[in-house]
């Protein structure tokens, strides 16, 4: 039996099922990502675990106990909201200390734990600031510290990195993964960014219209997508003669599927090709190794592993 | 072309000067003129009125009453108005609109009519509530309401409450509901959320509502005039009497200018407090 279990979890708004019979088991210490397009029910799922949205039907169990029977204030979960939801009238240290205060932790211990946690997220020197005086990335780390300091049984993250620019996001992804490894907290991350989900998590849940289309390790879902939706959502795909082929698996060869290069786009570390073939337009991604590459209008042959 | 912005300001400036600056300056000037029962107003420069207003204990009492009434009105408006706004904000969609109308509705009715309503309920032996209570044998004499400070405070609070509700409501609407959820998730009960999370965030709203209510209460005329009458004067009814009954315009002007200065001081002080206390928290 898994540590956190969602069983046939359903939530409807009117006639529309925002979450539709979702079943998922999360092991202790595992990092699971809920991945899917906008409006597929990720936030609703997270809010049901947190207790701010009531399920229409289904069950949630944590460590074998019925979580739905417990009030949101007593669930002991750490939550990082999409909007951070920091307390604007409290300093960073007061924000982080709030959860400990609610638990009745003594002032002296509170101070050391707040300092430790702020150190962990790299904000040791910022305790006296107010949230308004910090950047988006720093605020996000405060929210993370506030959730981590109470040593939650489960950490719920709702698109915590979506407001950051690409560079900061990458840095925060690495930090988040390191922190999660160090602390070992069971974590559920909601995101619509497939690269983020694959980079961070042990398993991903690809959701579509309230249902889980596939649950599994990232590389497995990427290599062996269960449905065309999963294949498309996790990356670019080609449908050639009924077979799904990832663009980076296709190479230019001496013989094979014949075609003409329609467009060639340089993207720094790789080239992106669109090739006209008898079986339709094929997307090809080739590493930029510095070698000469076919240009637009050139006649080429495409080959890939497993091609009949 | 650089002159264009200034030229565009001219109409507004002329209007402002015409309707605010000029009459105000004339009032200030008037307060230094002399006045006598038989000679009327004499355009001289003397400090007689100011000396009288500042040294006579009759005027001290009047101003003390004005600010005491304004203080209690503000306190009551905050005590009732802030929770009222909070409850209003938590209501669901059809009810919220209906009750907002109920709260703001009185603003559409003349202050005189609203105040007379209180007089009808509590006015002496014939007041409806007094009659009913005496009829039931709960009280032997009518509740004192007319011509009492309590009466003025109650009626003014009723009249000015919508301003407090509106100010607090505006700041409640800016709150992120997820912030309350965040506190709940960290283990806070409903009362703790209210006291530690909601209240500090709407404090600027309560303070700005308080400034509005205080200023309006201290300068209110109709309600103190009807409920307080001649027996219980406040600064504005006093100024009115000096102007229109005694015809001692310069003295009335001195009272009015003093009230204005005191109000400006209070509002300015409150603003400084809000800015210093909340600047770094709420940009
Ligand atoms: N309170 C609500 N009332 C009505 N419908 C709702 C409510 N909350 C969510 N929904 C609907 O439920 C569906 C799922 O919403 P949810 O917020 O879970 O999506 P999401 O996967 O988090 O999307 P995003 O990536 O855009 O945040 C949406 O179609 C949404 O319109
Ligand atoms: Mg969402």
């Amino acid at each position: 039996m898994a540590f956190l279990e969602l069983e046939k979890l359903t939530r409807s708004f009117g006639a529309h099922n925002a979450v539709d019979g979702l079943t998922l088991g999360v092991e202790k210490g595992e990092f699971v990502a809920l991945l899917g397009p906008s409006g597929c029910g990720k936030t609703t799922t997270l809010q049901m675990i947190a207790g701010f949205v009531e399920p229409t039907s289904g069950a949630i169990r944590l460590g074998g106990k019925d979580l739905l029977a417990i009030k949101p204030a007593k669930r002991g979960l750490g939550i990082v909201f999409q909007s951070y939801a920091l307390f604007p009238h409290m300093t960073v240290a007061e924000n982080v200390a709030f959860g400990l205060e609610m638990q009745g932790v003594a002032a002296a211990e509170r101070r050391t734990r707040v300092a430790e946690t702020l150190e962990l997220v790299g904000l040791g020197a910022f305790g006296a600031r107010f949230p308004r005086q910090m950047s988006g990335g720093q605020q996000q780390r405060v929210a993370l510290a506030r959730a981590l300091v109470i040593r939650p049984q489960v950490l719920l993250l709702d698109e915590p990195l979506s407001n950051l620019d690409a560079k900061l996001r990458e840095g925060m992804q690495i930090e988040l993964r390191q922190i999660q490894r160090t602390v070992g907290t069971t974590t559920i991350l909601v995101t619509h960014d497939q690269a983020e989900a694959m980079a961070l998590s042990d398993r991903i849940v690809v959701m579509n219209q309230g249902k889980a289309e596939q649950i599994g390790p990232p590389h497995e879902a990427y290599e062996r997508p269960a449905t065309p939706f999963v294949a498309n959502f996790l990356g670019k795909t080609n449908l050639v003669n009924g077979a799904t082929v990832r663009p980076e698996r296709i190479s230019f060869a001496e013989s094979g599927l014949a075609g003409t290069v329609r467009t060639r786009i340089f993207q720094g570390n790789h080239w992106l090709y669109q090739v006209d073939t008898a079986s339709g337009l094929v997307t090809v991604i080739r590493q930029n190794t510095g070698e000469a590459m076919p240009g637009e209008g050139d006649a080429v042959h495409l080959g890939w592993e497993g091609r009949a | 072309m650089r002159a264009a912005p200034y030229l565009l300001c001219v109409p507004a400036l002329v209007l402002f000067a015409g309707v605010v600056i000029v009459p105000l300056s004339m009032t200030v000037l008037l307060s230094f003129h002399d006045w006598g029962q038989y000679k009327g107003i004499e355009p001289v420069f003397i400090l007689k009125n100011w000396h009288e207003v500042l040294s006579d204990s009759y005027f001290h009492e009047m101003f003390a009453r004005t600010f005491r009434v304004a203080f209690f009105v503000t306190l009551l408006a905050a005590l009732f108005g802030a929770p009222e706004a909070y409850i209003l904000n938590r209501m669901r969609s059809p009810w919220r609109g209906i009750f907002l109308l109920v709260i703001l509705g009185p603003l559409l009715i003349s202050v005189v009519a609203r105040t007379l309503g209180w007089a009808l309920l509590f006015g002496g032996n014939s007041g409806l509530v007094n009659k009913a209570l005496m009829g039931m044998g709960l009280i032997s004499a009518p509740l004192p309401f007319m011509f009492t400070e309590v009466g003025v405070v109650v009626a003014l609070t009723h009249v000015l409450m919508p301003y407090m509700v509106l100010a607090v409501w505006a700041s409640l609407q800016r709150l992120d509901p997820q912030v309350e959820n965040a506190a709940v998730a960290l283990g806070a009960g409903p009362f703790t959320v209210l006291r530690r999370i909601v209240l500090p965030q709407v404090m600027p709203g309560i303070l700005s509502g308080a400034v509005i209510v205080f200023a309006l209460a201290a300068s209110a005329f109709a309600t103190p005039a009807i409920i307080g009458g001649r027996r219980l004067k406040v600064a504005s009814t006093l100024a009115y009497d000096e102007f229109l009954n005694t015809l001692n315009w310069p003295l009335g002007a001195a009272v009015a200018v003093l009230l204005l200065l005191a109000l400006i001081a209070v509002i300015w002080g409150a603003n400084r407090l809000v800015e210093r206390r909340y600047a770094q928290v709420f940009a």
Side-chain angles (χ1 to χ4, degrees), chain A residues 29-44:
Chain A
E30 200 180 13
F31 196 129
V32 171
L34 298 185
L35 176 65
S38 185
C40 72
K42 308 178 297 283
T43 296
T44 307

Side-chain angles (χ1 to χ4, degrees), chain A residues 11 13 16-19 36-45 82 158-159 190-192:
Chain A
R11 166 72 207 208
F13 293 107
H16 168 241
N17 284 349
V19 177
S38 185
C40 72
K42 308 178 297 283
T43 296
T44 307
T45 306
Q82 186 160 0
D158 193 354
E159 312 221 20
V190 159
T191 178
H192 58 248

Side-chain angles (χ1 to χ4, degrees), chain A residues 47 52 72-74 76-77 79 81 83 85-90 95 98-99 101-103 130 132-133 146-147 150, chain B residues 175-176 178-189 192-193 195-198 200-201 277-283:
Chain A
Q47 298 265 335
F52 301 125
K74 303 276 178 224
L77 310 177
I79 305 168
F81 292 86
S83 57
L86 297 176
F87 309 132
H89 56 292
M90 297 186 194
N95 262 279
F98 187 83
E101 240 178 280
M102 293 301 114
Q103 291 178 347
F130 282 95
R132 274 294 147 82
Q133 303 166 321
R146 188 177 66 176
I150 60 168
Chain B
L175 294 194
D176 176 2
Q178 297 287 37
V179 171
E180 285 171 62
N181 280 348
V184 170
L186 290 167
T192 311
V193 171
R195 192 175 61 85
R196 299 278 312 271
I197 308 298
V198 177
Q201 288 189 81
R277 177 79 179 73
Y278 296 102
Q280 55 197 149
V281 186
F282 305 102

